[in-house]
Amino acid sequence: MDPNASGQVPDFPQPGKTQIKQEKAPPAVCSDGKDVAFAALFAVLGVLTADAVLYKGMNLGFSAAVLALLAAIAVYSWKKGMRPTAFSVFCVLAVAAGAVCFTFSADGLIRFCLTVMMAVLFAAAFAQTAGIGRFDCGTYQIFAETVRLALVIPASGMQQMLRALMYKKVGDAVCRRRSGGVLAGALCAVPVLLVLVPLLMRSDAAFEGVMKNTLFADAGEIFAVLLCGAVLFLFLFSLLFSARRGLAGAGSAPTGQRVQKLDCIAAAVFLGVISFFYVLYLLSQSAYFFSAFAGILPENFSVAAYARRGFFEMTAICAINLILAAFAMIFTRRKAEKPHPAVRALCVFICVFSLILIAAALSKMVLYVRSFGMTRLRVLTSLFMLLLAVTFICVTVRFFALRFAYMRVIAASAAVILLAAGYVNVDAVIARYNVQAYRSGALETVDVAALGELGDAAVPCIAQLLQDDDADVAASAGSELAGRMYRYYVPDTGGDGTVRWRPREDRSLWRRNVVTDSAEKQLYALQEELAPYLAAFAGEYEDAQ
């Protein structure tokens, strides 16, 4: 009998083909309207921040972008019942103040340190407010938790966050968002277009004329901005989404009690040997060591030799002492949850000895500045020594109060010092002191070339030397300002022979910086006084062109 007589066709499996298409299970966590809206907002803010960092000089645009990010983070992450601590509020205010400082400071080193400080303080504030991480411990673990919040949590939750944005919950059912595929396809097409369109523009002049006034004319810059903005968005929003949805966890418990402890007798003997040589050092140096406090030079010592001798060695000794104290605090056995009395006493002596060294070093630095003027190295080194002194004081207190959150005080002190250095403009302080000391007679001469190596904040003080009685000083000041004039302006000679200066680049609103803008305006106003010096630079400028 024909097997097909019944009209039924047997279902023979065909090799290489799947008979049943399995639907991928929806994610356990879905997104709501707030997630999608803020994801789009953070994507835009990420691109604006990347553009401010890469091509706007981290000026007003960077300040505005960071402040907008802080506001968006606060609105998106806030939950009913949250109670920020005093330290978290301080951290947020410090981050906001640091962001604004980028508009009022052009100091590259201070800006870099501010960026690191802002990242750590933001991590601390967010962790405490959102209830994740272990920043409440106030110890050295704050650095490990910063790395965890910046990298580990975002990386582990990134895939889950991206999948969640594609799904929504309708009643008890989980549905895929219709707009998700459209948005994903459009975003994936952007980098391809940034490669293809410039190639098409180079291949045809007519198409180039059509596209030259569009964003594709600067495809390389746009691609870099979008790439960096996408990375910032992925890590930042993944962290925020994980915290909002309870996916980040509270982090591991402090590991201080699980660390293998060392024998207290061995630690005490080790620290005792070190302390014995410190005592011997103090006794042998008592004849002239502390004369730095009174500004009295030891016999056969010049000011320069005395101020320089041992300064950096003292800094290295303080750094080693800090490591020794931290090592003893963490790894020695404890009695009744406190360091052994002998270990504690020796560590306190080492900390006090370090504070004495820091005080002597700062006193030497003051003597050096009074004799030879300020430099960036002298000022920044003094600020670092000041922070080091705060650190030793906090470590000393920690030996008597184990619950003292010493790292919070150190982080807050570092933030205050950096913000003060940023807002007062270190270069302006240096230039102002040197010029005033020179004019008052406290300094015999002024190094105009050294002032010229400072940032734009030094321009007003250098301009004061244009009318100096010393012709060499006035000429040096004019040359420095003329060189800076060519840095910001380009001379255009008209038909009548007059020279007009136009800016080298058009400064948009987001490129504005108070210090740089003030220096440019003052240089433009001094063009008549600088005319002889500008003429001397004309030949070098033409050769460079």
Side-chain angles (χ1 to χ4, degrees), residues 255-405:
T255 59
Q257 301 300 325
R258 297 199 301 263
V259 176
Q260 182 66 35
K261 302 301 181 180
L262 300 178
D263 184 71
C264 59
I265 297 179
V269 172
F270 171 76
L271 296 174
V273 173
I274 303 297
S275 300
F276 171 78
F277 281 91
Y278 284 165
V279 172
L280 186 62
Y281 176 83
L282 289 175
L283 293 176
S284 64
Q285 302 297 308
S286 60
Y288 72 91
F289 177 74
F290 291 102
S291 62
F293 293 105
I296 303 174
L297 290 178
E299 187 178 357
N300 299 325
F301 269 89
S302 65
V303 173
Y306 180 62
R308 285 196 300 265
R309 179 167 178 174
F311 182 85
F312 293 103
E313 288 78 3
M314 288 181 183
T315 305
I317 292 173
C318 289
I320 294 174
N321 289 345
L322 184 61
I323 295 174
L324 293 177
F327 187 85
M329 180 189 299
I330 298 171
F331 294 104
T332 56
R333 292 178 180 176
R334 294 175 179 176
K335 183 178 181 180
E337 299 300 325
K338 291 184 179 180
H340 190 276
V343 175
R344 180 173 58 182
L346 290 170
C347 286
V348 169
F349 169 76
I350 290 176
C351 290
V352 173
F353 174 78
S354 301
L355 289 173
I356 294 174
L357 288 182
I358 292 172
L362 288 175
S363 181
K364 286 185 174 185
M365 184 60 72
V366 171
L367 181 63
Y368 204 12
V369 168
R370 287 178 180 176
S371 302
F372 301 100
M374 285 187 178
T375 63
R376 282 183 59 86
L377 180 61
R378 295 166 194 168
V379 173
L380 296 179
T381 302
S382 299
L383 293 178
F384 172 74
M385 295 296 287
L386 181 62
L387 179 60
L388 199 59
V390 174
T391 302
F392 275 108
I393 293 175
C394 292
V395 172
T396 303
V397 175
R398 176 74 175 190
F399 279 108
F400 296 94
L402 292 180
R403 295 184 180 275
F404 175 62

Side-chain angles (χ1 to χ4, degrees), residues 91-158:
C91 291
V92 172
L93 295 177
V95 173
V100 175
C101 187
F102 280 79
T103 303
F104 293 89
S105 174
D107 193 313
L109 179 59
I110 297 297
R111 286 178 162 200
F112 173 78
C113 294
L114 275 175
T115 303
V116 177
M117 180 271 294
M118 290 164 60
V120 175
L121 293 186
F122 167 74
F126 182 78
Q128 284 198 335
T129 306
I132 59 177
R134 296 293 310 178
F135 283 90
D136 55 335
C137 62
T139 65
Y140 63 93
Q141 296 173 6
I142 190 173
F143 298 108
E145 288 299 316
T146 301
V147 175
R148 179 174 175 267
L149 262 71
L151 299 176
V152 178
I153 293 179
S156 60
M158 194 175 299

Side-chain angles (χ1 to χ4, degrees), residues 390-460:
V390 174
T391 302
F392 275 108
I393 293 175
C394 292
V395 172
T396 303
V397 175
R398 176 74 175 190
F399 279 108
F400 296 94
L402 292 180
R403 295 184 180 275
F404 175 62
Y406 62 93
M407 192 54 68
R408 294 186 188 179
V409 179
I410 296 172
S413 301
V416 171
I417 292 174
L418 282 174
L419 289 173
Y423 277 103
V424 303
N425 282 312
V426 173
D427 290 345
V429 173
I430 295 171
R432 189 182 305 114
Y433 175 85
N434 289 341
V435 171
Q436 291 178 355
Y438 166 70
R439 287 187 160 186
S440 65
L443 294 177
E444 296 181 359
T445 184
V446 59
D447 191 344
V448 181
L451 296 180
E453 295 176 357
L454 300 175
D456 293 329
V459 169

